[in-house]
Amino acid sequence: MRYEAITWDRLAETLAGHLDASEPDAGGSRLKVALDGPPAAPGGELAELLAEALRTRGRAVHVVGTGGFLRPASLRYEYGKQDPDAYYDGWTDVGALWREIFNPLEPGGTGRVLPDLWDPVRDRATRSPYVTLPPGGVLVLHGPFLLGHWFPFDLTVHLRLSPAALARRTGEPWALPAFARYETEVDPGAAADAVVRADDPRHPAWTGLGRRPEA
C-alpha cells in the first residue's frame, strides 16, 4: 500500500466531507462508520474528531465504543483472563451490537440506539438511556475486531499498527495472538475502505479513499 502523511484533524475533516456527500446503502437514512483498530491505536480520539467535524456540517452524530458492549466477566473470563482466542471472539457482545445499534438503524428502524450496555469495571449493566439518532445522522463505532461480522457499515477505516509497534504499545502482551489471528482471518487492511498507519501517533499516514493496491 502507498501511504501519504496526514494530520488527525485533516483526516477527520476529509472523512467528514466524504460522509457528508454520501448516501446510506440499501435505502437507509443514517450512515454507519467503523473506526477499527486495537486499543493501542487512537480510535476513540479520531471518533471524537470526526464527530466534531460532522457536527460543524450540521449532521447529528452518535459515537459508540465497543468497550461499552463487553460481555459479563463470567463469560469473558470463562477460559481465564488472558486467553487470546476468547478475547478475539468472545469478549464483545456482537449480538447486543446488532440488537441495540444496527437493527434500529436499518431502513424503517426507530433510530433509538443504546450508548452502552455493560460496565466492565463494575461488571453490571450501565442502564444508560436510549438516544435517538435522527434521519441524516451518523453512527461512529470504534473498537477492535469490527470487520468480519457483516456489520452494515457505509465506511470502514482500519487503524493499523505494525507488529513491532503493536507489541511495544500494547499493555497486555498476551492479547497479541488475537491481533495476529485477526490479520490472518479477516485481513482488515484489505477489507477496509481506508487504512491509517498509526505506528507513531504524532505522524499518521493513510491510503486515502478509493485506494488501489501498490503495483
Side-chain angles (χ1 to χ4, degrees):
M1 299 180 189
R2 287 194 176 96
Y3 292 89
E4 62 180 33
I6 196 168
T7 66
W8 294 111
D9 286 337
R10 189 156 61 88
L11 174 60
E13 287 290 338
T14 302
L15 293 175
H18 171 80
L19 290 164
D20 200 34
S22 300
E23 294 292 334
D25 289 336
S29 60
R30 302 164 180 92
L31 291 164
K32 298 170 286 291
V33 182
L35 299 181
D36 171 70
E45 292 88 338
L46 178 57
E48 294 300 333
L49 288 173
L50 177 57
E52 181 180 353
L54 286 165
R55 289 179 183 124
T56 63
R57 289 168 166 79
R59 305 297 288 263
V61 186
H62 185 55
V63 176
V64 176
T66 58
F69 283 84
L70 297 182
R71 302 171 79 196
S74 61
L75 299 176
R76 296 200 312 275
Y77 303 147
E78 182 178 1
Y79 301 102
K81 293 186 176 181
Q82 297 185 351
D83 185 287
D85 289 323
Y87 175 55
Y88 176 69
D89 56 23
W91 277 34
T92 300
D93 193 336
V94 173
L97 286 172
W98 274 107
R99 183 179 68 251
E100 304 293 355
I101 299 293
F102 291 105
N103 289 345
L105 301 182
E106 288 294 295
T110 64
R112 294 178 70 247
V113 297
L114 198 61
D116 47 52
L117 178 66
W118 198 260
D119 183 339
V121 176
R122 297 183 177 183
D123 197 35
R124 66 184 188 186
T126 57
R127 303 189 185 280
S128 296
Y130 283 88
V131 175
T132 298
L133 187 65
V138 183
L139 169 78
V140 180
L141 180 65
H142 63 89
F145 314 133
L146 289 180
L147 308 181
H149 295 292
W150 301 102
F151 290 145
F153 292 116
D154 298 287
L155 176 67
T156 55
V157 179
H158 175 60
L159 276 65
R160 190 178 194 88
L161 273 69
S162 68
L166 183 63
R168 185 171 61 252
R169 292 168 53 190
T170 296
E172 297 82 17
W174 60 266
L176 293 175
F179 296 105
R181 181 180 166 190
Y182 186 50
E183 287 289 330
T184 299
E185 296 186 2
V186 176
D187 192 4
D193 296 311
V195 178
V196 180
R197 189 173 61 198
D199 285 4
D200 183 346
R202 300 167 300 177
H203 302 290
W206 81 317
T207 58
L209 292 164
R211 58 201 173 83
R212 296 178 180 177
E214 184 174 5

